Amino acid sequence: MRVIRLLVALLLLAGPVAAQGTDLASRVDDATLRAVQPVLEGVARDSLPVAALESKVLEGVAKRRPPEQIGSVVRDLAEEFRAARAVLRDGLPGRPIADGEVVAAALAARQGVAPEVLRALWASSPSEGSMEIPVTVLTELVRRGVPVDEASMVMAHVVRTAVPMQIAAQIPGNVDRAVGAGSAPGAALGEALRTLNIPAPPGRRPNR
């Protein structure tokens, strides 16, 4: 359930600007608005995920962070989004890239997932369906200690074989349970796949 909540949160973060942008000024103090407004305007011009940044602003306000700190965090996050979208556009020329995919790619980069890994995962998709959930699950597996190459191989297999995303979203939670029972992250991933009846990718050793 934790992973499903995370995915829902990502969807909310990457939602339409209208969800928050119209009333942000009424929800933050003047100093904070001055600190973040230029960043938000630039992000809007570049068609980046504005709503995700506005959510970060509100999070900072709720935590009583000083305006200059909120502004710095928002600027850094905007650059992460800009870099993530550039990576995706470089490998996927002509393909529309949704806000949620940009957010997911930025989070993956934070975990050390290299651009070529993301491009390879996108290339595994037989259609132009959203890659937000596969990338998010990949990121969660890496965060849990699964090696990047193994996590990416498994998620590419999940995408190629059209495993339903509601099933794929359960993989990290099942890894958590297996790790809690004493398995190493790689072995826990294998146990998670078996539990969810997802066939292991060709070439993956069963005991890993």
Side-chain angles (χ1 to χ4, degrees):
M1 293 302 294
R2 180 180 178 279
V3 175
I4 293 175
R5 288 196 296 270
L6 170 66
L7 298 175
V8 171
L10 283 174
L11 290 170
L12 292 175
L13 281 175
V17 174
Q20 294 179 13
T22 55
D23 66 347
L24 184 66
S26 67
R27 303 177 70 179
V28 304
D29 58 274
D30 289 343
T32 298
L33 190 61
R34 286 195 299 272
V36 303
Q37 194 67 37
V39 180
L40 297 179
E41 289 174 354
V43 163
R45 285 194 300 269
D46 293 342
S47 300
L48 288 164
V50 179
L53 295 177
E54 292 178 337
S55 292
K56 200 66 177 177
V57 173
L58 295 176
E59 178 187 328
V61 171
K63 293 179 178 179
R64 301 184 182 277
R65 301 289 191 255
E68 61 272 16
Q69 182 180 354
I70 295 174
S72 177
V73 169
V74 170
R75 280 193 298 274
D76 289 346
L77 189 55
E79 288 308 309
E80 290 181 34
F81 288 167
R82 192 168 279 109
R85 191 178 64 181
V87 164
L88 298 180
R89 280 187 168 173
D90 182 54
L92 304 164
R95 182 193 184 283
I97 300 170
D99 280 359
E101 293 175 316
V102 173
V103 174
L107 292 176
R110 280 190 178 186
Q111 289 295 321
V113 179
E116 57 268 23
V117 173
L118 290 178
R119 294 188 192 110
L121 181 56
W122 249 270
S124 68
S125 175
S127 66
E128 290 194 354
S130 173
M131 293 295 290
E132 180 178 356
I133 290 178
V135 174
T136 301
V137 173
L138 167 64
T139 302
E140 285 296 294
L141 293 176
V142 173
R143 192 174 67 81
R144 284 160 169 78
V146 178
V148 174
D149 59 347
E150 185 166 5
S152 61
M153 175 177 65
V154 166
M155 292 313 300
H157 174 70
V158 164
V159 171
R160 278 195 302 270
T161 57
V163 172
M165 287 299 101
Q166 65 267 28
I167 299 298
Q170 298 177 47
I171 295 174
N174 280 270
V175 168
D176 285 341
R177 282 188 282 276
V179 168
S183 296
L189 176 55
E191 293 176 36
L193 297 179
R194 287 192 293 275
T195 298
L196 295 169
N197 294 317
I198 300 173
R204 186 179 192 276
R205 297 198 302 272
N207 60 339
R208 287 188 67 181

